[in-house]
Amino acid sequence: MSRGEETRRHIVRCAAEVFNRVGYAAATVSDLEEATGLRTGGIYRHFGGKEELALAAFDHAVGCLEARFVEEATASPHAVDRLRAMVDVYRGLATEPAVPGGCPVMNAAIETDAAGSAALRDRARRAMDRWRQRIRALVEEGQARGEVRGDVEAAAFANLFLSTMEGATMLTGLYGDRKPLMDAADHIDAHLESRVRA
Amino acid sequence: MSRGEETRRHIVRCAAEVFNRVGYAAATVSDLEEATGLRTGGIYRHFGGKEELALAAFDHAVGCLEARFVEEATASPHAVDRLRAMVDVYRGLATEPAVPGGCPVMNAAIETDAAGSAALRDRARRAMDRWRQRIRALVEEGQARGEVRGDVEAAAFANLFLSTMEGATMLTGLYGDRKPLMDAADHIDAHLESRVRA
Amino acid sequence: MSRGEETRRHIVRCAAEVFNRVGYAAATVSDLEEATGLRTGGIYRHFGGKEELALAAFDHAVGCLEARFVEEATASPHAVDRLRAMVDVYRGLATEPAVPGGCPVMNAAIETDAAGSAALRDRARRAMDRWRQRIRALVEEGQARGEVRGDVEAAAFANLFLSTMEGATMLTGLYGDRKPLMDAADHIDAHLESRVRA
Amino acid sequence: MSRGEETRRHIVRCAAEVFNRVGYAAATVSDLEEATGLRTGGIYRHFGGKEELALAAFDHAVGCLEARFVEEATASPHAVDRLRAMVDVYRGLATEPAVPGGCPVMNAAIETDAAGSAALRDRARRAMDRWRQRIRALVEEGQARGEVRGDVEAAAFANLFLSTMEGATMLTGLYGDRKPLMDAADHIDAHLESRVRA
DNA sequence: ACGCACGGGACACCCCGTTCCT
DNA sequence: AGGAACGGGGTGTCCCGTGCGT
């Protein structure tokens, strides 16, 4: 990897944390300088502007999260187990966040409501859609394999799953208390066992 | 009511919407001028600064939401019915938001994560705590009256309820699609009937 | 005198000092409130605005000065004595100013250079013209009566007289030291005796 | 010279004219933007505030004036000729001012009377003192060389000289008419020949 | 006739994003 | 890649003048 490319990745990694903690609009280039150890000249060599860097940082942050899902996905081939593994990923984020500062997708979704970067909002939508699709596919594949009850509506379950876990992430972040996230995770687990597993 | 007091309330009402849509940090005094029809001179006569106004606006926005809960609370004395009424409030927010721009508490919680106004974060915590307490009290009173199953952990249910509904509100806002909120509401309703109602 | 008229004069008197000390643009209505003991409501009942009051205050201040000239003018009928009496008026202003804050005409002339109130500038010009005319008339009458040498150019002497005394007033004000004004007065006196008196 | 230094000097030059014409308090940063072609961001990079810039502009303006005196000073070694050269400088200011808007020292002296910047007032005092000292030194050196009559009191003459020329500058500015300044200059010239030259 | 609340306007200063030069 | 330089926009302050109440 070239030195320039390495610097670029360094910037993205540092920026992802800054943007996720502080907010995409609230984070200043000065914050990014401090986090990266570089000056504007060095940052702007690699990115056309704050927004471009913010998008790259968002993608990186989402990528870090998705890597967790991919890791856990190897555990078991059973659909319900895979869904419970996803719940475990959320549980784990409480103690060891993929990127500090909460869920980047939720952060971007909230921040770009009726203002802020349209491009970032679009990325947030696409990311969330990937997650919904992942869950939906798991449910539908599970149904095809007889592992999931036929009366489960895949799309609705995906919405419920993400609503619950994202909302719980917000509450846990607001209070600095793992309990809301644990409560939500336990509920989804129980729901998976009692109403989803075939 | 004096003219000044009326103006002050007018500012708060307009500001509540601006702050909720745009964000507490991202909203500019210029935005508030446009929304209120007043100039900085007129606004700063009533508020010591943007933050003071933001807090008042947040309180107003939360008050608007809480008024909805109070309205619905009169429907039935039964604890589960009261909880379902709360779910209905969330449902109603999708079509007729109390304050446009999503849930002010969630917005404030996300925005003040690791940066932003500490006072606003504190207000968000207190507001969310009031809601949790309201739900918890409903459950516990229901249990005392035999309307709610004894194995329901009130605090955990409150967390679950708010996580689910708030997360769903975020998803609904992100997509401009009522379905995630409806899916979450339906799930909580079903859960209330199958696992909470005595 | 009606109560309103008395209040009006009170305002003008107080404002004359404030404007002369602080400057016509720099003086604030708040300064005038403090000086008069009235509030804006009381002031604006008598004057259409700050400028109108400033003009009245300027006229009053100039009137106070001109009263000094009129007082001294009674001393002697001799033209040169009358001119020396005018010099004495300037001398007296150093210890007992007609209006504190320097010569109002000079103040207005300096302040309205290329900016500021055109009306005020006009008043300053008219006031200074009255003074020039007074001196010129004295010289010409003195020449007619054989009291003043014929080779004295009246208009030029008037300019010299006022230039010297006004400039000296400025220097004396700048240093808080009577000497520059005394030096200038002595010079004009000597000049009157050696080159003007017939 | 670095670009920043060049910009700084450009600002000072433009600001000197603006401040001298409009007044140090009355001139707005917006005026300075217009005059310099820069925006506040560019101006405030070089100066800590309006006052700091005003002081630098005053120094520059005074420096422009003093350069005129230095130029003329080379004409002749004779004390009286040097004094007449100073009179000529004042004469020249009527048609080609060093800085438009009148004498910066007088302007500052008038404006800072009993209000306004103490620092600016101090600069005005120091500048005027330099001028008085220059004249005084010329007289005293002239006396030592037998070029100036021994009965001339150097300090008093310096006061007279500056009072007359500054007052005349004010009158000339007030009327937009060179005559008062010419009359005063002619008088000082005549006085130099008849009462000062040995 | 006066006090006081109120609102419009303008201003000073600050800080952020970006560019250019080195 | 560093850092100076600049444009732009935002915040809060103060001032002037109006209108209502007393």
Side-chain angles (χ1 to χ4, degrees):
Chain A
M1 192 193 310
S2 74
R3 172 128 173 282
E5 182 58 22
E6 187 143 12
T7 300
R8 187 192 153 91
R9 296 199 185 185
H10 170 70
I11 295 170
V12 168
R13 268 194 302 272
C14 297
E17 178 166 342
V18 169
F19 280 125
N20 208 48
R21 296 184 94 108
V22 178
Y24 291 89
T28 69
V29 176
S30 189
D31 292 337
L32 299 170
E33 288 182 346
E34 198 177 342
T36 58
L38 275 73
R39 303 294 172 205
T40 58
I43 294 172
Y44 275 83
R45 166 156 301 273
H46 297 282
F47 299 92
K50 196 179 111 170
E51 165 134 12
E52 190 180 318
L53 173 52
L55 295 178
F58 175 80
D59 288 343
H60 174 75
V62 171
C64 289
L65 267 177
E66 292 180 340
R68 297 276 182 105
F69 290 122
V70 171
E71 271 176 47
E72 292 288 329
T74 59
S76 156
H78 193 283
V80 174
D81 293 339
R82 297 273 290 271
L83 289 166
R84 294 193 63 160
M86 287 186 71
V87 174
D88 281 336
V89 168
Y90 271 99
R91 275 196 187 90
L93 293 173
T95 47
E96 189 135 4
V99 177
C103 174
V105 178
M106 181 165 53
N107 291 349
I110 294 297
E111 187 173 334
T112 62
D113 171 63
S117 161
L120 182 59
R121 186 163 190 78
D122 193 56
R123 303 261 177 143
R125 279 199 186 114
R126 287 174 200 277
M128 190 65 84
D129 265 333
R130 281 197 303 276
W131 299 357
R132 293 207 292 188
Q133 186 52 33
R134 178 190 303 267
I135 293 165
R136 203 172 142 174
L138 274 176
V139 169
E140 287 171 347
E141 288 163 17
Q143 287 172 327
R145 291 203 296 267
E147 298 162 2
V148 169
R149 283 160 60 162
D151 63 350
V152 173
E153 202 201 328
F157 177 78
N159 282 336
L160 168 69
F161 182 102
L162 289 169
S163 291
T164 306
M165 299 318 297
E166 290 288 328
T169 299
M170 183 268 289
L171 277 178
T172 279
L174 175 59
Y175 291 111
D177 172 17
R178 293 174 61 230
K179 185 164 190 301
L181 187 56
M182 296 305 124
D183 290 341
D186 292 347
H187 172 80
I188 297 295
D189 273 350
H191 179 71
L192 282 169
E193 293 304 328
S194 67
R195 304 270 161 171
V196 174
R197 193 182 288 274
Chain B
M1 191 194 309
S2 71
R3 183 158 72 106
E5 183 58 21
E6 190 141 9
T7 301
R8 187 192 156 91
R9 295 196 187 184
H10 170 71
I11 294 170
V12 168
R13 270 193 301 269
C14 298
E17 180 168 340
V18 169
F19 280 125
N20 210 48
R21 294 184 96 107
V22 179
Y24 290 88
T28 70
V29 177
S30 189
D31 292 336
L32 299 171
E33 288 183 346
E34 199 175 340
T36 58
L38 276 75
R39 306 289 161 200
T40 58
I43 294 173
Y44 277 87
R45 162 160 297 274
H46 297 283
F47 300 93
K50 204 180 98 167
E51 164 134 11
E52 188 180 319
L53 173 52
L55 295 178
F58 175 79
D59 288 343
H60 174 74
V62 171
C64 290
L65 267 177
E66 292 180 342
R68 297 276 182 105
F69 290 123
V70 170
E71 269 176 50
E72 293 288 329
T74 60
S76 157
H78 195 283
V80 174
D81 294 338
R82 297 272 289 270
L83 289 165
R84 293 194 64 160
M86 289 186 70
V87 174
D88 281 335
V89 168
Y90 271 99
R91 274 198 187 89
L93 293 173
T95 50
E96 188 134 2
V99 177
C103 174
V105 178
M106 180 165 53
N107 291 348
I110 294 298
E111 187 173 335
T112 60
D113 172 61
S117 161
L120 183 59
R121 186 164 189 78
D122 192 56
R123 303 261 177 141
R125 279 200 186 112
R126 286 174 200 276
M128 191 64 86
D129 265 333
R130 282 196 304 276
W131 298 357
R132 295 206 291 188
Q133 186 53 32
R134 179 190 303 269
I135 293 166
R136 201 172 143 174
L138 274 177
V139 169
E140 286 170 348
E141 288 163 18
Q143 287 172 328
R145 290 203 297 267
E147 297 161 4
V148 170
R149 284 163 58 162
D151 64 349
V152 174
E153 201 201 331
F157 177 77
N159 282 335
L160 168 69
F161 182 103
L162 289 168
S163 291
T164 306
M165 299 317 299
E166 291 287 327
T169 298
M170 182 270 287
L171 277 177
T172 279
L174 176 59
Y175 291 111
D177 172 16
R178 294 172 62 230
K179 186 164 191 298
L181 187 57
M182 296 305 125
D183 290 340
D186 291 347
H187 173 80
I188 297 294
D189 273 349
H191 181 71
L192 282 169
E193 293 304 329
S194 67
R195 306 271 161 170
V196 174
R197 194 184 287 273
Chain C
M1 190 193 308
S2 73
R3 172 130 173 279
E5 183 58 21
E6 187 143 11
T7 301
R8 187 192 154 91
R9 295 199 186 185
H10 170 70
I11 294 171
V12 168
R13 270 194 302 271
C14 298
E17 178 167 342
V18 168
F19 279 125
N20 208 48
R21 295 185 95 108
V22 179
Y24 291 88
T28 69
V29 176
S30 188
D31 292 337
L32 299 170
E33 288 182 346
E34 198 176 343
T36 59
L38 275 74
R39 304 294 172 210
T40 58
I43 295 172
Y44 276 85
R45 167 151 303 270
H46 298 282
F47 299 93
K50 198 179 111 170
E51 165 135 11
E52 189 180 318
L53 174 52
L55 294 177
F58 175 79
D59 288 343
H60 174 75
V62 171
C64 290
L65 267 178
E66 292 180 342
R68 298 277 182 105
F69 290 122
V70 171
E71 270 176 49
E72 293 287 330
T74 60
S76 157
H78 194 285
V80 174
D81 294 338
R82 299 271 289 270
L83 289 165
R84 294 195 62 161
M86 288 187 71
V87 174
D88 281 336
V89 169
Y90 271 100
R91 274 197 186 90
L93 293 174
T95 48
E96 190 136 2
V99 177
C103 174
V105 179
M106 181 165 54
N107 291 348
I110 294 298
E111 186 173 336
T112 62
D113 171 63
S117 162
L120 183 59
R121 185 164 190 78
D122 192 55
R123 303 258 177 144
R125 280 200 185 112
R126 286 176 200 277
M128 190 64 85
D129 265 333
R130 281 197 304 276
W131 298 357
R132 294 207 291 189
Q133 185 53 32
R134 177 190 304 268
I135 293 165
R136 203 172 142 174
L138 274 177
V139 169
E140 286 170 349
E141 287 163 17
Q143 286 171 330
R145 291 203 296 266
E147 296 162 4
V148 169
R149 285 164 56 163
D151 63 351
V152 174
E153 202 202 329
F157 178 77
N159 281 336
L160 169 68
F161 183 102
L162 288 168
S163 291
T164 306
M165 300 316 300
E166 290 289 327
T169 299
M170 182 270 287
L171 277 178
T172 279
L174 176 58
Y175 291 112
D177 172 17
R178 295 172 61 229
K179 186 164 190 300
L181 186 56
M182 296 305 126
D183 291 341
D186 293 346
H187 173 79
I188 297 294
D189 273 350
H191 179 71
L192 282 170
E193 293 305 328
S194 67
R195 305 271 161 170
V196 175
R197 193 182 289 274
Chain D
M1 191 194 310
S2 71
R3 182 159 74 109
E5 184 57 22
E6 190 141 10
T7 301
R8 187 192 156 92
R9 296 194 186 187
H10 170 70
I11 294 170
V12 168
R13 271 192 301 269
C14 298
E17 179 167 340
V18 169
F19 280 125
N20 210 47
R21 295 185 96 108
V22 178
Y24 290 89
T28 69
V29 177
S30 188
D31 292 336
L32 299 170
E33 288 183 346
E34 200 175 339
T36 58
L38 277 78
R39 306 289 162 207
T40 58
I43 294 173
Y44 276 87
R45 157 159 294 273
H46 298 283
F47 299 93
K50 202 180 99 166
E51 164 134 12
E52 189 180 317
L53 173 52
L55 294 178
F58 175 79
D59 288 344
H60 175 74
V62 171
C64 290
L65 267 178
E66 291 180 343
R68 296 278 182 104
F69 290 122
V70 170
E71 270 176 48
E72 292 289 327
T74 60
S76 157
H78 194 283
V80 174
D81 294 338
R82 298 272 288 271
L83 290 165
R84 295 194 62 160
M86 287 186 71
V87 174
D88 281 336
V89 168
Y90 271 99
R91 274 198 186 90
L93 293 174
T95 49
E96 188 133 5
V99 177
C103 173
V105 178
M106 181 165 53
N107 291 349
I110 295 298
E111 186 172 335
T112 61
D113 172 61
S117 161
L120 183 59
R121 186 163 190 78
D122 192 56
R123 304 262 177 140
R125 279 201 186 112
R126 287 175 200 277
M128 190 63 87
D129 266 333
R130 281 197 303 275
W131 298 357
R132 295 208 290 188
Q133 186 51 33
R134 179 190 304 268
I135 293 166
R136 203 174 142 174
L138 274 177
V139 169
E140 285 170 350
E141 288 163 18
Q143 287 172 328
R145 290 203 297 265
E147 297 162 2
V148 170
R149 283 162 58 162
D151 64 350
V152 173
E153 203 202 328
F157 177 77
N159 282 336
L160 169 69
F161 181 102
L162 289 168
S163 291
T164 306
M165 300 316 299
E166 290 288 327
T169 297
M170 183 269 288
L171 278 177
T172 279
L174 176 58
Y175 291 111
D177 172 16
R178 295 175 61 232
K179 185 163 192 301
L181 188 56
M182 296 306 126
D183 291 340
D186 292 346
H187 173 80
I188 297 294
D189 273 349
H191 180 70
L192 283 170
E193 292 305 328
S194 66
R195 304 271 160 170
V196 174
R197 193 183 289 274

